[in-house]
Amino acid sequence: MIEGTVNSALEAVVTLGVVGTAERSRGVAAVIDTGYSGDVTLPSDVVNSLALAQVGSTRARLADGEEAELATYVASVDWSRNKRGVAVHAAESLPLIGMRLLEGHRLRVDVEHGGNVLIEPLAS
């Protein structure tokens, strides 16, 4: 189970532990974005601090409708007490958690300032 809160902009935010090369790790406050179909986006300063390995790039349509080429990296995240491999897209925005990382989980959000955010595995 992962817990977070709703911020003053009514964004659901959780702290995501991201692990990079040589077990470098960093806690990152990430916004849950149900319109993003990938795993995780991180700004380039976070990608660089974790020394993530680039594995390619991908074309993406951004929230403003523009298309961009985003570098793709590999990392691990601490997810429900497990380490999980993810694809990280470098984007100069707030860190985002996308639907691919949420797959197989229930997302519950009390949509009010300071509301609870809860991510838990679906019963199998």
Side-chain angles (χ1 to χ4, degrees):
M1 176 170 41
I2 298 166
E3 297 180 272
T5 58
V6 175
N7 66 19
S8 60
L10 297 179
E11 297 167 324
V13 179
V14 298
T15 299
L16 187 62
V18 183
V19 181
T21 304
E23 295 300 307
R24 291 183 187 181
S25 64
R26 185 166 171 180
V28 176
V31 173
I32 296 170
D33 183 353
T34 60
Y36 169 49
S37 61
D39 285 325
V40 176
T41 69
L42 294 173
S44 58
D45 65 320
V46 175
V47 168
N48 292 335
S49 74
L50 294 169
L52 298 182
Q54 185 172 351
V55 294
S57 63
T58 188
R59 299 273 314 149
R61 184 172 307 279
L62 306 178
D64 64 4
E66 293 292 319
E67 285 200 13
E69 189 80 20
L70 301 178
T72 304
Y73 300 83
V74 292
S76 295
V77 295
D78 296 324
W79 191 253
S80 294
R81 298 185 182 145
N82 295 305
K83 218 174 238 187
R84 182 169 167 183
V86 294
V88 173
H89 294 118
E92 299 312 316
S93 65
L94 294 172
L96 300 175
I97 293 173
M99 294 300 284
R100 182 167 300 154
L101 188 55
L102 292 171
E103 183 176 14
H105 291 76
R106 175 178 294 116
L107 171 64
R108 293 175 41 194
V109 180
D110 297 331
V111 185
E112 62 182 358
H113 179 97
N116 293 319
V117 177
L118 180 65
I119 302 169
E120 56 189 350
L122 293 173
S124 40

mmCIF file of all heavy atoms in Angstrom, residues 51-97:
data_model
loop_
_atom_site.group_PDB
_atom_site.id
_atom_site.type_symbol
_atom_site.label_atom_id
_atom_site.label_comp_id
_atom_site.label_asym_id
_atom_site.label_seq_id
_atom_site.Cartn_x
_atom_site.Cartn_y
_atom_site.Cartn_z
ATOM 1 N N ALA A 51 22.043 9.011 -12.128
ATOM 2 C CA ALA A 51 22.892 8.394 -13.154
ATOM 3 C C ALA A 51 22.144 7.283 -13.895
ATOM 4 O O ALA A 51 22.673 6.191 -14.095
ATOM 5 C CB ALA A 51 24.197 7.876 -12.548
ATOM 6 N N LEU A 52 20.919 7.583 -14.314
ATOM 7 C CA LEU A 52 20.107 6.577 -15.011
ATOM 8 C C LEU A 52 20.681 6.295 -16.394
ATOM 9 O O LEU A 52 21.223 7.181 -17.053
ATOM 10 C CB LEU A 52 18.661 7.052 -15.139
ATOM 11 C CG LEU A 52 17.907 7.297 -13.840
ATOM 12 C CD1 LEU A 52 16.469 7.709 -14.137
ATOM 13 C CD2 LEU A 52 17.953 6.085 -12.930
ATOM 14 N N ALA A 53 20.539 5.061 -16.844
ATOM 15 C CA ALA A 53 21.034 4.642 -18.154
ATOM 16 C C ALA A 53 19.965 4.887 -19.215
ATOM 17 O O ALA A 53 18.846 4.391 -19.089
ATOM 18 C CB ALA A 53 21.405 3.161 -18.124
ATOM 19 N N GLN A 54 20.324 5.660 -20.249
ATOM 20 C CA GLN A 54 19.375 5.906 -21.335
ATOM 21 C C GLN A 54 19.303 4.681 -22.224
ATOM 22 O O GLN A 54 20.316 4.092 -22.592
ATOM 23 C CB GLN A 54 19.772 7.128 -22.159
ATOM 24 C CG GLN A 54 18.730 7.463 -23.210
ATOM 25 C CD GLN A 54 18.992 8.782 -23.931
ATOM 26 O OE1 GLN A 54 19.869 9.556 -23.553
ATOM 27 N NE2 GLN A 54 18.220 9.040 -24.972
ATOM 28 N N VAL A 55 18.058 4.294 -22.574
ATOM 29 C CA VAL A 55 17.853 3.119 -23.416
ATOM 30 C C VAL A 55 17.176 3.457 -24.740
ATOM 31 O O VAL A 55 16.929 2.568 -25.541
ATOM 32 C CB VAL A 55 17.034 2.032 -22.681
ATOM 33 C CG1 VAL A 55 17.826 1.484 -21.501
ATOM 34 C CG2 VAL A 55 15.679 2.551 -22.241
ATOM 35 N N GLY A 56 16.893 4.719 -24.950
ATOM 36 C CA GLY A 56 16.254 5.124 -26.203
ATOM 37 C C GLY A 56 15.495 6.409 -26.023
ATOM 38 O O GLY A 56 15.784 7.218 -25.134
ATOM 39 N N SER A 57 14.506 6.578 -26.886
ATOM 40 C CA SER A 57 13.639 7.758 -26.799
ATOM 41 C C SER A 57 12.274 7.384 -27.366
ATOM 42 O O SER A 57 12.122 6.355 -28.026
ATOM 43 C CB SER A 57 14.239 8.933 -27.556
ATOM 44 O OG SER A 57 14.338 8.634 -28.933
ATOM 45 N N THR A 58 11.305 8.224 -27.086
ATOM 46 C CA THR A 58 9.960 7.977 -27.570
ATOM 47 C C THR A 58 9.277 9.299 -27.903
ATOM 48 O O THR A 58 9.577 10.324 -27.296
ATOM 49 C CB THR A 58 9.131 7.185 -26.526
ATOM 50 O OG1 THR A 58 7.904 6.797 -27.101
ATOM 51 C CG2 THR A 58 8.867 8.000 -25.280
ATOM 52 N N ARG A 59 8.395 9.252 -28.889
ATOM 53 C CA ARG A 59 7.582 10.433 -29.221
ATOM 54 C C ARG A 59 6.391 10.444 -28.290
ATOM 55 O O ARG A 59 5.792 9.410 -28.015
ATOM 56 C CB ARG A 59 7.081 10.372 -30.662
ATOM 57 C CG ARG A 59 8.138 10.337 -31.713
ATOM 58 C CD ARG A 59 8.692 11.626 -32.220
ATOM 59 N NE ARG A 59 7.751 12.662 -32.541
ATOM 60 C CZ ARG A 59 8.046 13.958 -32.408
ATOM 61 N NH1 ARG A 59 9.217 14.333 -31.952
ATOM 62 N NH2 ARG A 59 7.184 14.875 -32.726
ATOM 63 N N ALA A 60 6.057 11.605 -27.790
ATOM 64 C CA ALA A 60 4.939 11.716 -26.853
ATOM 65 C C ALA A 60 4.137 12.968 -27.154
ATOM 66 O O ALA A 60 4.691 13.986 -27.576
ATOM 67 C CB ALA A 60 5.456 11.774 -25.425
ATOM 68 N N ARG A 61 2.836 12.879 -26.938
ATOM 69 C CA ARG A 61 1.973 14.049 -27.033
ATOM 70 C C ARG A 61 1.821 14.588 -25.610
ATOM 71 O O ARG A 61 1.380 13.889 -24.713
ATOM 72 C CB ARG A 61 0.613 13.719 -27.611
ATOM 73 C CG ARG A 61 -0.260 14.959 -27.803
ATOM 74 C CD ARG A 61 -1.550 14.684 -28.546
ATOM 75 N NE ARG A 61 -1.363 14.012 -29.819
ATOM 76 C CZ ARG A 61 -1.007 14.615 -30.962
ATOM 77 N NH1 ARG A 61 -0.778 15.899 -30.994
ATOM 78 N NH2 ARG A 61 -0.880 13.902 -32.073
ATOM 79 N N LEU A 62 2.210 15.833 -25.421
ATOM 80 C CA LEU A 62 2.166 16.452 -24.106
ATOM 81 C C LEU A 62 0.775 16.990 -23.800
ATOM 82 O O LEU A 62 -0.090 17.070 -24.686
ATOM 83 C CB LEU A 62 3.209 17.572 -24.028
ATOM 84 C CG LEU A 62 4.639 17.146 -24.384
ATOM 85 C CD1 LEU A 62 5.582 18.340 -24.328
ATOM 86 C CD2 LEU A 62 5.119 16.033 -23.476
ATOM 87 N N ALA A 63 0.555 17.377 -22.558
ATOM 88 C CA ALA A 63 -0.752 17.854 -22.120
ATOM 89 C C ALA A 63 -1.221 19.073 -22.911
ATOM 90 O O ALA A 63 -2.425 19.255 -23.120
ATOM 91 C CB ALA A 63 -0.724 18.184 -20.630
ATOM 92 N N ASP A 64 -0.284 19.888 -23.398
ATOM 93 C CA ASP A 64 -0.657 21.073 -24.171
ATOM 94 C C ASP A 64 -0.907 20.759 -25.643
ATOM 95 O O ASP A 64 -1.154 21.655 -26.453
ATOM 96 C CB ASP A 64 0.394 22.168 -24.031
ATOM 97 C CG ASP A 64 1.760 21.783 -24.605
ATOM 98 O OD1 ASP A 64 1.895 20.686 -25.192
ATOM 99 O OD2 ASP A 64 2.691 22.595 -24.467
ATOM 100 N N GLY A 65 -0.834 19.470 -26.015
ATOM 101 C CA GLY A 65 -1.095 19.056 -27.389
ATOM 102 C C GLY A 65 0.142 18.987 -28.260
ATOM 103 O O GLY A 65 0.097 18.431 -29.358
ATOM 104 N N GLU A 66 1.245 19.537 -27.795
ATOM 105 C CA GLU A 66 2.491 19.502 -28.561
ATOM 106 C C GLU A 66 3.080 18.095 -28.528
ATOM 107 O O GLU A 66 2.858 17.336 -27.589
ATOM 108 C CB GLU A 66 3.504 20.491 -27.969
ATOM 109 C CG GLU A 66 3.099 21.947 -28.116
ATOM 110 C CD GLU A 66 3.109 22.412 -29.561
ATOM 111 O OE1 GLU A 66 4.040 22.050 -30.307
ATOM 112 O OE2 GLU A 66 2.164 23.129 -29.938
ATOM 113 N N GLU A 67 3.848 17.753 -29.579
ATOM 114 C CA GLU A 67 4.573 16.489 -29.587
ATOM 115 C C GLU A 67 6.029 16.764 -29.261
ATOM 116 O O GLU A 67 6.577 17.799 -29.634
ATOM 117 C CB GLU A 67 4.450 15.802 -30.944
ATOM 118 C CG GLU A 67 3.095 15.195 -31.148
ATOM 119 C CD GLU A 67 3.084 14.121 -32.221
ATOM 120 O OE1 GLU A 67 4.168 13.676 -32.637
ATOM 121 O OE2 GLU A 67 1.987 13.735 -32.619
ATOM 122 N N ALA A 68 6.634 15.826 -28.539
ATOM 123 C CA ALA A 68 8.042 15.974 -28.155
ATOM 124 C C ALA A 68 8.714 14.618 -28.181
ATOM 125 O O ALA A 68 8.071 13.585 -28.040
ATOM 126 C CB ALA A 68 8.130 16.578 -26.755
ATOM 127 N N GLU A 69 10.012 14.643 -28.375
ATOM 128 C CA GLU A 69 10.838 13.441 -28.292
ATOM 129 C C GLU A 69 11.399 13.398 -26.869
ATOM 130 O O GLU A 69 12.105 14.309 -26.442
ATOM 131 C CB GLU A 69 11.984 13.516 -29.310
ATOM 132 C CG GLU A 69 12.775 12.265 -29.463
ATOM 133 C CD GLU A 69 12.078 11.240 -30.346
ATOM 134 O OE1 GLU A 69 11.181 11.604 -31.131
ATOM 135 O OE2 GLU A 69 12.442 10.057 -30.239
ATOM 136 N N LEU A 70 11.058 12.362 -26.107
ATOM 137 C CA LEU A 70 11.500 12.243 -24.724
ATOM 138 C C LEU A 70 12.516 11.111 -24.595
ATOM 139 O O LEU A 70 12.274 9.997 -25.062
ATOM 140 C CB LEU A 70 10.309 11.952 -23.799
ATOM 141 C CG LEU A 70 9.174 12.968 -23.790
ATOM 142 C CD1 LEU A 70 8.058 12.493 -22.863
ATOM 143 C CD2 LEU A 70 9.676 14.342 -23.389
ATOM 144 N N ALA A 71 13.643 11.412 -23.970
ATOM 145 C CA ALA A 71 14.635 10.381 -23.692
ATOM 146 C C ALA A 71 14.042 9.383 -22.707
ATOM 147 O O ALA A 71 13.320 9.761 -21.781
ATOM 148 C CB ALA A 71 15.902 11.011 -23.130
ATOM 149 N N THR A 72 14.335 8.096 -22.918
ATOM 150 C CA THR A 72 13.820 7.030 -22.065
ATOM 151 C C THR A 72 14.982 6.391 -21.313
ATOM 152 O O THR A 72 16.019 6.073 -21.902
ATOM 153 C CB THR A 72 13.097 5.967 -22.903
ATOM 154 O OG1 THR A 72 12.065 6.598 -23.667
ATOM 155 C CG2 THR A 72 12.479 4.895 -22.021
ATOM 156 N N TYR A 73 14.781 6.197 -20.022
ATOM 157 C CA TYR A 73 15.790 5.637 -19.128
ATOM 158 C C TYR A 73 15.189 4.453 -18.370
ATOM 159 O O TYR A 73 13.970 4.289 -18.344
ATOM 160 C CB TYR A 73 16.253 6.687 -18.107
ATOM 161 C CG TYR A 73 16.870 7.898 -18.739
ATOM 162 C CD1 TYR A 73 16.076 8.938 -19.215
ATOM 163 C CD2 TYR A 73 18.246 8.008 -18.866
ATOM 164 C CE1 TYR A 73 16.637 10.055 -19.811
ATOM 165 C CE2 TYR A 73 18.825 9.127 -19.461
ATOM 166 C CZ TYR A 73 18.014 10.141 -19.926
ATOM 167 O OH TYR A 73 18.581 11.244 -20.523
ATOM 168 N N VAL A 74 16.030 3.659 -17.731
ATOM 169 C CA VAL A 74 15.553 2.583 -16.869
ATOM 170 C C VAL A 74 15.929 2.903 -15.428
ATOM 171 O O VAL A 74 16.981 3.482 -15.157
ATOM 172 C CB VAL A 74 16.103 1.199 -17.266
ATOM 173 C CG1 VAL A 74 15.536 0.756 -18.590
ATOM 174 C CG2 VAL A 74 17.612 1.189 -17.301
ATOM 175 N N ALA A 75 15.039 2.534 -14.522
ATOM 176 C CA ALA A 75 15.254 2.718 -13.089
ATOM 177 C C ALA A 75 14.411 1.678 -12.366
ATOM 178 O O ALA A 75 13.664 0.917 -12.991
ATOM 179 C CB ALA A 75 14.847 4.122 -12.663
ATOM 180 N N SER A 76 14.517 1.671 -11.068
ATOM 181 C CA SER A 76 13.644 0.870 -10.217
ATOM 182 C C SER A 76 12.945 1.818 -9.263
ATOM 183 O O SER A 76 13.487 2.884 -8.924
ATOM 184 C CB SER A 76 14.439 -0.147 -9.404
ATOM 185 O OG SER A 76 15.046 -1.083 -10.237
ATOM 186 N N VAL A 77 11.753 1.440 -8.835
ATOM 187 C CA VAL A 77 11.045 2.220 -7.827
ATOM 188 C C VAL A 77 10.650 1.289 -6.687
ATOM 189 O O VAL A 77 10.440 0.094 -6.882
ATOM 190 C CB VAL A 77 9.790 2.931 -8.391
ATOM 191 C CG1 VAL A 77 10.184 3.979 -9.415
ATOM 192 C CG2 VAL A 77 8.801 1.944 -8.982
ATOM 193 N N ASP A 78 10.594 1.855 -5.502
ATOM 194 C CA ASP A 78 10.055 1.130 -4.356
ATOM 195 C C ASP A 78 8.540 1.225 -4.476
ATOM 196 O O ASP A 78 7.972 2.308 -4.402
ATOM 197 C CB ASP A 78 10.537 1.759 -3.047
ATOM 198 C CG ASP A 78 12.035 1.653 -2.880
ATOM 199 O OD1 ASP A 78 12.597 0.625 -3.300
ATOM 200 O OD2 ASP A 78 12.640 2.589 -2.341
ATOM 201 N N TRP A 79 7.891 0.093 -4.690
ATOM 202 C CA TRP A 79 6.462 0.071 -5.006
ATOM 203 C C TRP A 79 5.786 -1.014 -4.183
ATOM 204 O O TRP A 79 6.051 -2.187 -4.391
ATOM 205 C CB TRP A 79 6.273 -0.162 -6.501
ATOM 206 C CG TRP A 79 4.898 0.054 -6.992
ATOM 207 C CD1 TRP A 79 3.996 -0.907 -7.371
ATOM 208 C CD2 TRP A 79 4.231 1.297 -7.165
ATOM 209 N NE1 TRP A 79 2.822 -0.339 -7.763
ATOM 210 C CE2 TRP A 79 2.935 1.027 -7.653
ATOM 211 C CE3 TRP A 79 4.598 2.626 -6.956
ATOM 212 C CZ2 TRP A 79 2.007 2.029 -7.930
ATOM 213 C CZ3 TRP A 79 3.683 3.625 -7.236
ATOM 214 C CH2 TRP A 79 2.412 3.311 -7.716
ATOM 215 N N SER A 80 4.964 -0.619 -3.243
ATOM 216 C CA SER A 80 4.256 -1.571 -2.372
ATOM 217 C C SER A 80 5.215 -2.577 -1.747
ATOM 218 O O SER A 80 5.013 -3.781 -1.812
ATOM 219 C CB SER A 80 3.150 -2.304 -3.137
ATOM 220 O OG SER A 80 2.141 -1.427 -3.521
ATOM 221 N N ARG A 81 6.305 -2.058 -1.183
ATOM 222 C CA ARG A 81 7.319 -2.866 -0.493
ATOM 223 C C ARG A 81 8.115 -3.778 -1.415
ATOM 224 O O ARG A 81 8.763 -4.721 -0.975
ATOM 225 C CB ARG A 81 6.707 -3.662 0.643
ATOM 226 C CG ARG A 81 6.104 -2.790 1.707
ATOM 227 C CD ARG A 81 5.611 -3.614 2.854
ATOM 228 N NE ARG A 81 4.996 -2.721 3.829
ATOM 229 C CZ ARG A 81 3.954 -3.048 4.543
ATOM 230 N NH1 ARG A 81 3.401 -4.244 4.417
ATOM 231 N NH2 ARG A 81 3.451 -2.203 5.410
ATOM 232 N N ASN A 82 8.048 -3.548 -2.704
ATOM 233 C CA ASN A 82 8.820 -4.308 -3.684
ATOM 234 C C ASN A 82 9.575 -3.338 -4.573
ATOM 235 O O ASN A 82 9.161 -2.198 -4.762
ATOM 236 C CB ASN A 82 7.899 -5.160 -4.573
ATOM 237 C CG ASN A 82 7.181 -6.221 -3.775
ATOM 238 O OD1 ASN A 82 7.802 -7.012 -3.090
ATOM 239 N ND2 ASN A 82 5.864 -6.229 -3.849
ATOM 240 N N LYS A 83 10.687 -3.820 -5.138
ATOM 241 C CA LYS A 83 11.398 -3.039 -6.142
ATOM 242 C C LYS A 83 10.829 -3.409 -7.492
ATOM 243 O O LYS A 83 10.697 -4.586 -7.807
ATOM 244 C CB LYS A 83 12.881 -3.358 -6.083
ATOM 245 C CG LYS A 83 13.755 -2.152 -6.305
ATOM 246 C CD LYS A 83 15.193 -2.500 -6.099
ATOM 247 C CE LYS A 83 15.692 -1.572 -5.018
ATOM 248 N NZ LYS A 83 17.127 -1.703 -4.831
ATOM 249 N N ARG A 84 10.469 -2.416 -8.282
ATOM 250 C CA ARG A 84 9.843 -2.659 -9.583
ATOM 251 C C ARG A 84 10.568 -1.864 -10.658
ATOM 252 O O ARG A 84 10.807 -0.664 -10.489
ATOM 253 C CB ARG A 84 8.370 -2.225 -9.490
ATOM 254 C CG ARG A 84 7.585 -2.463 -10.737
ATOM 255 C CD ARG A 84 6.111 -2.255 -10.459
ATOM 256 N NE ARG A 84 5.377 -2.187 -11.701
ATOM 257 C CZ ARG A 84 4.090 -1.963 -11.777
ATOM 258 N NH1 ARG A 84 3.371 -1.802 -10.683
ATOM 259 N NH2 ARG A 84 3.497 -1.917 -12.945
ATOM 260 N N GLY A 85 10.942 -2.532 -11.752
ATOM 261 C CA GLY A 85 11.596 -1.854 -12.865
ATOM 262 C C GLY A 85 10.611 -0.987 -13.623
ATOM 263 O O GLY A 85 9.460 -1.386 -13.828
ATOM 264 N N VAL A 86 11.056 0.211 -14.007
ATOM 265 C CA VAL A 86 10.197 1.141 -14.733
ATOM 266 C C VAL A 86 10.961 1.807 -15.869
ATOM 267 O O VAL A 86 12.187 1.909 -15.834
ATOM 268 C CB VAL A 86 9.622 2.243 -13.809
ATOM 269 C CG1 VAL A 86 8.681 1.670 -12.768
ATOM 270 C CG2 VAL A 86 10.726 3.060 -13.149
ATOM 271 N N ALA A 87 10.188 2.272 -16.843
ATOM 272 C CA ALA A 87 10.717 3.151 -17.876
ATOM 273 C C ALA A 87 10.477 4.581 -17.406
ATOM 274 O O ALA A 87 9.367 4.932 -17.002
ATOM 275 C CB ALA A 87 10.006 2.911 -19.205
ATOM 276 N N VAL A 88 11.524 5.375 -17.435
ATOM 277 C CA VAL A 88 11.447 6.771 -17.018
ATOM 278 C C VAL A 88 11.590 7.636 -18.262
ATOM 279 O O VAL A 88 12.550 7.473 -19.027
ATOM 280 C CB VAL A 88 12.570 7.121 -16.017
ATOM 281 C CG1 VAL A 88 12.594 8.613 -15.726
ATOM 282 C CG2 VAL A 88 12.418 6.311 -14.739
ATOM 283 N N HIS A 89 10.646 8.542 -18.469
ATOM 284 C CA HIS A 89 10.756 9.526 -19.548
ATOM 285 C C HIS A 89 11.201 10.844 -18.935
ATOM 286 O O HIS A 89 10.616 11.294 -17.946
ATOM 287 C CB HIS A 89 9.417 9.709 -20.268
ATOM 288 C CG HIS A 89 8.994 8.480 -20.996
ATOM 289 N ND1 HIS A 89 7.849 7.786 -20.700
ATOM 290 C CD2 HIS A 89 9.592 7.795 -21.995
ATOM 291 C CE1 HIS A 89 7.746 6.748 -21.488
ATOM 292 N NE2 HIS A 89 8.800 6.719 -22.272
ATOM 293 N N ALA A 90 12.263 11.416 -19.493
ATOM 294 C CA ALA A 90 12.751 12.704 -19.017
ATOM 295 C C ALA A 90 11.847 13.795 -19.574
ATOM 296 O O ALA A 90 11.657 13.898 -20.777
ATOM 297 C CB ALA A 90 14.190 12.928 -19.450
ATOM 298 N N ALA A 91 11.257 14.583 -18.684
ATOM 299 C CA ALA A 91 10.372 15.679 -19.085
ATOM 300 C C ALA A 91 10.542 16.814 -18.084
ATOM 301 O O ALA A 91 10.559 16.578 -16.872
ATOM 302 C CB ALA A 91 8.922 15.211 -19.124
ATOM 303 N N GLU A 92 10.679 18.005 -18.603
ATOM 304 C CA GLU A 92 10.873 19.162 -17.725
ATOM 305 C C GLU A 92 9.526 19.628 -17.187
ATOM 306 O O GLU A 92 8.992 20.657 -17.570
ATOM 307 C CB GLU A 92 11.613 20.278 -18.463
ATOM 308 C CG GLU A 92 12.996 19.871 -18.933
ATOM 309 C CD GLU A 92 13.840 19.184 -17.850
ATOM 310 O OE1 GLU A 92 13.869 19.653 -16.703
ATOM 311 O OE2 GLU A 92 14.463 18.157 -18.166
ATOM 312 N N SER A 93 8.993 18.828 -16.303
ATOM 313 C CA SER A 93 7.719 19.119 -15.648
ATOM 314 C C SER A 93 7.783 18.515 -14.262
ATOM 315 O O SER A 93 8.814 17.981 -13.851
ATOM 316 C CB SER A 93 6.555 18.502 -16.439
ATOM 317 O OG SER A 93 6.656 17.083 -16.419
ATOM 318 N N LEU A 94 6.690 18.568 -13.554
ATOM 319 C CA LEU A 94 6.614 17.871 -12.278
ATOM 320 C C LEU A 94 6.797 16.380 -12.522
ATOM 321 O O LEU A 94 6.360 15.864 -13.557
ATOM 322 C CB LEU A 94 5.245 18.097 -11.635
ATOM 323 C CG LEU A 94 4.897 19.499 -11.186
ATOM 324 C CD1 LEU A 94 3.438 19.559 -10.762
ATOM 325 C CD2 LEU A 94 5.794 19.922 -10.041
ATOM 326 N N PRO A 95 7.410 15.654 -11.608
ATOM 327 C CA PRO A 95 7.451 14.204 -11.749
ATOM 328 C C PRO A 95 6.028 13.652 -11.787
ATOM 329 O O PRO A 95 5.158 14.106 -11.030
ATOM 330 C CB PRO A 95 8.188 13.741 -10.486
ATOM 331 C CG PRO A 95 9.023 14.921 -10.087
ATOM 332 C CD PRO A 95 8.175 16.107 -10.437
ATOM 333 N N LEU A 96 5.801 12.697 -12.689
ATOM 334 C CA LEU A 96 4.463 12.123 -12.861
ATOM 335 C C LEU A 96 4.511 10.607 -12.709
ATOM 336 O O LEU A 96 5.472 9.963 -13.120
ATOM 337 C CB LEU A 96 3.909 12.449 -14.248
ATOM 338 C CG LEU A 96 3.747 13.910 -14.621
ATOM 339 C CD1 LEU A 96 3.296 14.031 -16.080
ATOM 340 C CD2 LEU A 96 2.781 14.609 -13.688
ATOM 341 N N ILE A 97 3.435 10.067 -12.168
ATOM 342 C CA ILE A 97 3.195 8.630 -12.144
ATOM 343 C C ILE A 97 2.064 8.369 -13.123
ATOM 344 O O ILE A 97 0.999 8.985 -13.020
ATOM 345 C CB ILE A 97 2.792 8.147 -10.740
ATOM 346 C CG1 ILE A 97 3.969 8.294 -9.783
ATOM 347 C CG2 ILE A 97 2.298 6.698 -10.786
ATOM 348 C CD1 ILE A 97 3.628 8.002 -8.342
#
